[in-house]
Amino acid sequence: MGKLAIVLSAGGARGAYEAGVLYYVRKGLPPKTARKNFSIKVGTSVGAINTAAMAALADDTDKQAEKIKDIWFSIRQEDVYLRDFGAATHFLGSTVGGILRNLLTFNPFHLTRRKGPHFNSFLDTRPLGEFLKKILPWGAITKNVLNGPIDAVALNATNLRNGRHELFVKRKPEVVYQGHYPFHDVELGVEHTMASAAIPIVFPAVKVDGTYYADGGLRLFTPMSPAIQLGASSMLVVGLRYRSPIMEKLKFKKEMKEPTIALQLGRLLNGVFLDRIEYDMEQLERINSIVETSEKVYGADYLEKLNKRMAKDGLKVDIASRGLRKIRALEIKPSQSISGLFLRWTHKARKQFKFTALEKLLFRLLDIDPATGSDLLSYLTFAPAYLQTLFDLGYEDAKQHRDQIIDIMNGE
């Protein structure tokens, strides 16, 4: 049997859905299957946090499931970003002060005369770094890779110096990465995970070895590629995209109102985070269909002959290096709209969840309201009841794919 991989995608607070899927895999499947490790783990953005947690706890799959559940059930809004009155006054003061300094600079393009940028991000995520440091045994990632059940862990990030997609990787010495994305062999830590999860504009960029990085979902057009290039032959993929067949066919008769910034940011994040997995799955299915049809036309040894010929011709492409092969993949994704789920939750929890001065300021700045801002807020709300709802949805959606998950994990 080939290498089994798990690929976790981006989505802010929606990572609680991924945690629900992982919990079912460990607790809802037959024990022999549930204890199997994913030898290759790849994560982007919040998926990088869940991936790091899986890697750090890979030596005990029962503990792994409980700990990841505990992370998502214990995290609070203030564990993600500063949200007190001081954060509001700092944001307002630095923004207004920066604008005034820039206005008073005779030539606004003389960057050296400015005292600094007036705006780096809407939110300050220093609490998230501290939360992650405390809650996970980061040194165990290296131990579980070099001496344990993991072949490779890869976290995706975007290099803001050159705009390229890059990988932070920890792998066994014999594991070869054959892809075209630049990669760094590192001791994976909080900074790499935070860099992968730095949603542009919303969260600040993270500095790693002198270079600033932002969310890995920005330039990762093929999310499953790193797993394949590290040797995966089968994959469990957790996506966060729900496509409503009714909404896609619906024709709106009313003229649309002018979109708010919140609505546009929410749609932008949907495009960055949610559409890539679906495209990748379609490409994978297309390639598998071509391979299967070619085997019927040219014989069962078609792939072997093709790979030998590519090697003989010395083709300098990744597919020639690793060889063309069929790759099995199963995607688990939400069975209902998470934005819709968020709207229903806000209606119930209106009196229970209190917004701070910073959040009220941002609501006014971005024209956020529950209807037009549901996409954006569904990524950024870490309220316990909402996260538990997402977790439960992930668990139930995985349960609906029980037989398929068992097949993919057992290599059948």
Side-chain angles (χ1 to χ4, degrees):
M1 187 177 74
K3 294 180 180 178
L4 176 66
I6 187 163
V7 178
L8 301 178
S9 52
R14 298 179 183 207
Y17 177 89
E18 295 176 342
V21 173
L22 297 174
Y23 194 79
Y24 179 80
V25 167
R26 294 306 184 207
K27 296 294 186 179
L29 299 181
K32 185 178 178 181
T33 303
R35 285 194 291 268
K36 287 192 175 182
N37 248 298
F38 297 91
S39 59
I40 297 170
K41 307 179 195 298
V42 177
T44 305
S45 193
V46 72
I49 295 175
N50 285 329
T51 297
M54 289 189 74
L57 304 162
D59 55 329
D60 185 338
T61 53
D62 283 335
K63 180 182 176 183
Q64 181 189 70
E66 293 296 343
K67 186 64 175 179
I68 292 174
K69 178 182 178 181
D70 179 58
I71 289 171
W72 284 98
F73 278 37
S74 65
I75 196 168
R76 299 293 183 265
Q77 204 79 22
E78 50 271 20
D79 294 322
V80 179
Y81 60 85
L82 294 175
R83 61 193 297 251
D84 56 12
F85 185 74
T89 55
H90 175 75
F91 175 79
L92 191 59
S94 61
T95 301
V96 173
I99 291 172
L100 289 174
R101 284 196 303 272
N102 290 340
L103 285 174
L104 295 174
T105 301
F106 181 74
N107 186 337
F109 292 103
H110 284 174
L111 301 181
T112 55
R113 296 183 184 178
R114 302 184 194 177
K115 293 183 179 179
H118 66 271
F119 178 83
N120 289 318
S121 63
F122 287 120
L123 303 173
D124 183 339
T125 54
R126 279 178 290 175
L128 179 58
E130 293 303 314
F131 177 82
L132 293 176
K133 283 179 186 176
K134 291 176 185 176
I135 207 161
L136 287 176
W138 290 90
I141 295 178
T142 295
K143 182 187 74 173
N144 289 333
V145 171
L146 296 181
N147 305 311
I150 305 173
D151 284 335
V153 183
L155 307 183
N156 303 292
T158 301
N159 183 324
L160 292 179
R161 187 191 299 272
N162 54 33
R164 297 184 307 178
H165 177 79
E166 297 181 5
L167 306 175
F168 297 118
V169 180
K170 187 63 188 176
R171 55 185 174 139
K172 281 182 165 60
E174 65 271 19
V175 173
V176 178
Y177 173 72
Q178 297 173 317
H180 62 276
Y181 291 130
F183 70 98
H184 308 277
D185 283 311
V186 297
E187 302 296 312
L188 290 172
V190 174
E191 69 275 21
H192 306 103
T193 309
M194 291 285 289
S196 180
I199 301 172
I201 302 174
V202 181
F203 291 167
V206 175
K207 195 175 185 179
V208 180
D209 294 331
T211 298
Y212 281 95
Y213 289 87
D215 199 291
L218 281 178
R219 297 299 302 274
L220 183 58
F221 299 111
T222 52
M224 294 188 289
S225 172
I228 295 170
Q229 305 301 351
L230 285 165
S233 58
S234 57
M235 290 181 282
L236 178 64
V237 181
V238 184
L240 296 169
R241 173 75 163 178
Y242 169 77
R243 282 195 180 277
S244 168
I246 297 174
M247 288 297 291
E248 288 186 359
K249 293 177 182 178
L250 195 62
K251 294 182 179 179
F252 296 95
K253 294 181 180 179
K254 276 188 176 183
E255 184 177 339
M256 183 181 178
K257 293 182 179 178
E258 184 177 359
T260 63
I261 295 178
L263 177 63
Q264 295 178 67
L265 267 176
R267 296 290 188 263
L268 176 63
L269 292 182
N270 284 346
V272 169
F273 292 155
L274 306 185
D275 291 330
R276 310 286 171 77
I277 287 285
E278 188 167 328
Y279 171 78
D280 230 12
M281 286 293 294
E282 289 173 358
Q283 288 290 90
L284 185 64
E285 289 169 5
R286 189 175 294 116
I287 292 170
N288 283 342
S289 296
I290 292 171
V291 170
E292 289 169 3
T293 304
S294 298
E295 286 178 330
K296 292 175 184 176
V297 174
Y298 301 109
D301 60 350
Y302 157 77
L303 268 184
E304 183 183 353
K305 288 180 178 178
L306 179 67
N307 289 328
K308 283 182 178 179
R309 184 53 188 255
M310 286 193 294
K312 182 181 178 181
D313 291 347
L315 295 179
K316 302 297 182 183
V317 292
D318 58 352
I319 200 169
S321 301
R322 61 177 172 81
L324 180 64
R325 63 182 186 271
K326 287 183 287 187
I327 296 172
R328 300 179 66 215
L330 170 65
E331 182 187 12
I332 308 296
K333 58 185 178 181
S335 58
Q336 59 180 280
S337 166
I338 290 183
S339 294
L341 184 150
F342 176 81
L343 276 174
R344 292 192 293 276
W345 171 80
T346 53
H347 183 72
K348 292 179 182 178
R350 192 175 300 168
K351 295 180 180 178
Q352 299 164 350
F353 187 74
K354 302 298 182 183
F355 295 108
T356 64
L358 172 66
E359 288 152 350
K360 291 176 182 177
L361 174 63
L362 292 176
F363 286 0
R364 287 166 174 76
L365 181 65
L366 300 177
D367 290 328
I368 293 177
D369 64 63
T372 62
S374 60
D375 275 335
L376 179 61
L377 293 174
S378 71
Y379 290 107
L380 302 177
T381 301
F382 292 81
Y386 170 58
L387 295 179
Q388 182 163 353
T389 303
L390 290 177
F391 182 95
D392 292 343
L393 178 62
Y395 185 93
E396 290 302 319
D397 285 346
K399 188 176 181 180
Q400 295 303 312
H401 292 82
R402 175 186 173 86
D403 292 341
Q404 293 166 284
I405 296 174
I406 292 173
D407 285 348
I408 206 88
M409 291 185 69
N410 289 337
E412 297 175 5

